[in-house]
Amino acid sequence: MQNMAIQVKGLWKSYKQLHVLKGVDFKVERGTIFALLGSNGAGKTTIVKILSTLLKQDSGTAVVNGFDVAVKPESVRQTISLTGQFTAVDEILTGRENLIMIARLRHLKKPRQVADDLLNRFDLASAADRRVSAYSGGMRRRLDIAMSLIGKPQLIFLDEPTTGLDPEVRLEVWKIVKKLAAGGTTIFLTTQYLEEAEQLADRIAILHDGKIIVDGTLAELKELFPPAKVEYVKKQPTLEEIFLAIVGKKKEDAK
Ligand SMILES: Nc1ncnc2c1ncn2[C@@H]1O[C@H](COP(=O)(O)OP(=O)(O)O)[C@@H](O)[C@H]1O
Ligand SMILES: [Mg+2]
């Protein structure tokens, strides 16, 4: 299936006695934004690690950009990038130096030019020669995402890209993600924020108790729950209401 960026079938993963993934299935089409939604501890990062070849599954298959992660991890790595939950930039280096370093690691021909392009694109040119330790949270996040774009990966994993960020920075990140997707990059995003999935994702999957319990477009998820009739006013459920109805507990409890 050429048009699939990710195909996951029957994925199981346990950490000793703890069964985190218990038969996870889903697919992600190329060029789309896919949001994996789940409470803290649901297993989102575990899935990201398996798909990005950092961790081996116990059983089941995962095919990323046409390569089986268990058979061709090197090939998978060449087509993806991963931005983790915690920013990976080097504090002591400047923004420009961070970018050049990654471009060199990726064996690109003109690392300096690659860095300049990204600095401009992410509105970091004026701060390019300052140490990252002096950057604001939003600037770091932008640099982090810029770094993940070096080498033009077909698929980008963003593991909780906005957790802990203030609302303006979150909006900034959303804009970047939308732009990337518009340019044809596939985005696999994990989030605990229902609004984030609602804003960004073409498809949303909810991971709960080791399985994907629903998977569809926002419109499809909404259709699972017929609108509540309050006299003559139809009310569409929000993603939050759908999530709570499925998971069966309050968001606070899910922490
Ligand atoms: N290396 C590990 N060893 C043992 N338990 C782990 C390890 N990594 C994660 N876990 C546990 O597995 C569960 C899922 O973790 P994780 O995939 O990080 O969830 P999420 O990213 O959805 O918050 C959690 O209960 C976590 O404590
Ligand atoms: Mg996580």
Side-chain angles (χ1 to χ4, degrees), residues 24 32 35 44 50 54 63 88 109 120 127 146 148 158 164 172-173 189 194 212 217 230 233 239 247 254:
V24 167
T32 62
K44 302 182 296 298
I50 292 169
L54 297 176
V63 176
K109 287 215 180 79
N120 286 327
S148 76
L158 296 169
E172 244 177 64
V173 172
L189 169 94
L194 303 155
I212 301 294
T217 62
V230 183
V233 186
L239 185 57
V247 169

Side-chain angles (χ1 to χ4, degrees), residues 104-122:
R104 290 212 173 110
L105 287 173
R106 293 219 170 207
H107 306 294
L108 297 193
K109 287 215 180 79
K110 294 178 176 163
R112 188 158 277 276
Q113 193 184 320
V114 170
D116 281 340
D117 288 348
L118 286 166
L119 288 164
N120 286 327
R121 214 167 124 198
F122 285 87

